[in-house]
Amino acid sequence: MKITKLELFKVPPRWLFLKIETDEGITGWGEPIVEGKADTVAAAVMEMSEHIIGQDPMRIEDMFQVLYRGGFYRGGPILTSAISGIEQALWDIKGKFYNAPIYDLLGGACRERTRVYSWIGGDRPSDVGLAAKQQVAAGFTAVKMNATEEMHYIDSLSKVDEAIARIAAVREAVGRDVGIGIDFHGRIHKSMAKILVKELEPYRPMFIEEPVLPENNEALREIARHTSCPIATGERMYTRWGFKDLLAQGYVDIIQPDLSHAGGILETRKIAAMAEAYDVAVAPHCPLGPIALASCLQLDTCSPNAFIQEQSLGIHYNQGSDLLDYLKNPAVFQYEDGFVKNLTAPGLGIEINEDKVREMAAIGHTWKNPVWRQADGTVAEW
């Protein structure tokens, strides 16, 4: 079997899908995307296609090595996201060839279902208590929210008070047993993060996510001294080499690799195994489309330290299209009691509605994240 064609589809709300075809008629789908840089990643995928066309799609490890190590410059969000989408599609082909879900080819299932959480509150969180109640009523046992809006290196304590009041409202609305993930989104610098994590402790967050930017991960040592809340990070980190020092330092409790950014399914399985050796949990990042989510669930199903899965249904980014719109059978992602059952169909376990993909690709998107500024005019982290 040989790869014959790669085709990309830029579809709303902000996604990029990849279809890989073979000479035996088996096709695979992947989701190579950096949010806000879809055209850049698409160019990287097509540049890599010269290493892929005519090759055996079953040689996934070798293909990864060529795409990652074959260039003098490697790593980073663009290149590894391009590799990730290609790799997902190759696994989809391999699973279909062997008539097995991908997790069966990676050691088999170690669970029957995976816990999922739902986003509340949007970029500038408001009305989070009511939103949390609605998600719990819909069956979710965990929610996640942004902690703050923009925040300067040293900022007003009133912003801290406002953030604490929002989290307190959520805890009061949902009770003590619902998990609350609090995403700092890298918006907060070390000095203010120390204050926030200490103030948040009485509300027992499920985790505190990206309390500082990943390029400042050395600050996690100081932040960990101020809280016993689990610390999570990793959505903007790539390949096992990017996670190596973080795990060795021992200040993170949960890693959040993104299977459309970190290097794909097998690469993230290796990262999860590294984390397991350090007694660290995995909660894959996935505010993306159905192919990315299916890839994550394949990983979760065969990774014993995966404890919860992000998913984008109803997320504030999904304007105009949503997670289920591109599937022939949306029921594969049916959430019951806050869990989703293992996908059982071959490959990724989903069937893409190609007609819908082509229809929406004709519309496309130009999604970009906003650029925020502080009151003094300096650029703020979004």
Side-chain angles (χ1 to χ4, degrees):
M1 182 162 52
K2 302 297 182 185
I3 295 169
T4 57
K5 184 179 179 181
L6 279 69
E7 191 172 5
L8 290 158
F9 305 91
K10 190 167 66 166
V11 297
R14 57 178 192 156
W15 303 331
L16 182 68
F17 294 168
L18 167 67
K19 180 186 178 185
I20 295 183
E21 299 180 18
T22 68
D23 59 1
E24 293 191 12
I26 303 175
T27 61
W29 289 86
E31 197 167 332
I33 182 65
V34 172
E35 301 90 307
K37 300 292 182 183
D39 292 330
T40 311
V41 179
V45 170
M46 296 315 296
E47 196 168 47
M48 291 177 180
S49 67
E50 65 186 65
H51 297 293
I52 297 168
I53 300 294
Q55 299 301 311
D56 179 359
M58 309 296 272
R59 293 170 59 92
I60 298 174
E61 179 64 49
D62 185 67
M63 198 88 68
F64 177 91
Q65 295 290 327
V66 168
L67 296 179
Y68 184 75
R69 297 172 60 198
F72 185 76
Y73 297 98
R74 59 188 66 169
I78 301 301
L79 296 181
T80 54
S81 296
I83 293 171
S84 295
I86 293 168
E87 197 259 14
Q88 291 166 0
L90 296 179
W91 274 109
D92 195 24
I93 291 168
K94 196 179 191 81
K96 290 171 180 175
F97 179 85
Y98 285 113
N99 195 33
I102 293 165
Y103 59 78
D104 266 353
L105 307 178
L106 294 174
C110 65
R111 69 183 76 242
E112 303 302 322
R113 57 183 188 163
T114 298
R115 191 182 182 197
V116 293
Y117 64 80
S118 181
W119 264 90
I120 58 171
D123 260 349
R124 297 184 180 277
S126 61
D127 298 327
V128 284
L130 176 60
K133 270 188 173 180
Q134 291 170 341
Q135 295 302 334
V136 171
F140 289 97
T141 62
V143 296
K144 189 169 83 172
M145 59 184 285
N146 280 312
T148 71
E149 301 182 7
E150 59 267 63
M151 191 171 277
H152 223 316
Y153 281 82
I154 304 295
D155 213 323
S156 165
L157 290 179
S158 65
K159 288 189 179 180
V160 175
D161 292 340
E162 290 167 3
I164 299 304
R166 285 191 292 268
I167 284 115
V170 174
R171 179 55 74 203
E172 183 179 357
V174 301
R176 61 181 297 175
D177 294 327
V178 171
I180 305 173
I182 301 174
D183 192 352
F184 283 36
H185 219 253
R187 294 173 179 173
I188 303 168
H189 300 276
K190 179 178 70 172
S191 301
M192 301 306 295
K194 290 189 296 183
I195 297 171
L196 263 170
V197 297
K198 188 173 182 179
E199 295 280 350
L200 285 171
E201 191 134 347
Y203 305 100
R204 297 184 177 178
M206 179 171 61
F207 55 76
I208 292 166
E209 178 174 340
E210 271 199 332
V212 291
L213 291 166
E215 50 261 51
N216 297 327
N217 274 343
E218 70 280 355
L220 295 176
R221 176 180 182 177
E222 180 70 13
I223 291 167
R225 293 176 55 195
H226 290 77
T227 183
S228 61
C229 298
I231 295 174
T233 195
E235 69 187 63
R236 289 184 272 188
M237 299 172 64
Y238 319 106
T239 76
R240 73 202 93 146
W241 295 282
F243 283 86
K244 181 171 65 173
D245 288 344
L246 177 72
L247 291 168
Q249 288 164 6
Y251 301 113
V252 69
D253 304 288
I254 304 161
I255 58 165
Q256 300 169 304
D258 188 309
L259 275 76
S260 281
H261 301 330
I265 296 170
L266 181 57
E267 183 65 13
T268 311
R269 182 67 191 94
K270 294 175 182 179
I271 294 167
M274 289 170 60
E276 185 182 2
Y278 283 95
D279 202 23
V280 169
V282 177
H285 178 256
C286 191
L288 296 169
I291 302 168
L293 178 57
S295 299
C296 288
L297 291 172
Q298 297 293 332
L299 172 84
D300 296 329
T301 301
C302 63
S303 301
N305 54 332
F307 90 101
I308 201 165
Q309 177 60 56
E310 181 174 27
Q311 55 82 41
S312 73
L313 188 62
I315 200 170
H316 47 286
Y317 304 122
N318 292 359
Q319 301 296 319
S321 292
D322 213 328
L323 177 66
L324 306 179
D325 293 350
Y326 296 101
L327 296 177
K328 285 190 176 180
N329 178 20
V332 295
F333 291 149
Q334 184 174 348
Y335 305 136
E336 298 177 3
D337 302 322
F339 289 82
V340 59
K341 292 180 180 177
N342 293 353
L343 303 175
T344 58
L348 285 169
I350 59 174
E351 190 174 1
I352 294 296
N353 184 340
E354 188 170 333
D355 290 341
K356 181 68 173 180
V357 170
R358 292 185 181 278
E359 173 193 341
M360 299 306 287
I363 298 171
H365 68 82
T366 57
W367 190 89
K368 298 288 187 292
N369 64 257
V371 176
W372 286 359
R373 291 185 181 272
Q374 307 284 3
D376 61 6
T378 56
V379 172
E381 301 297 339
W382 167 68

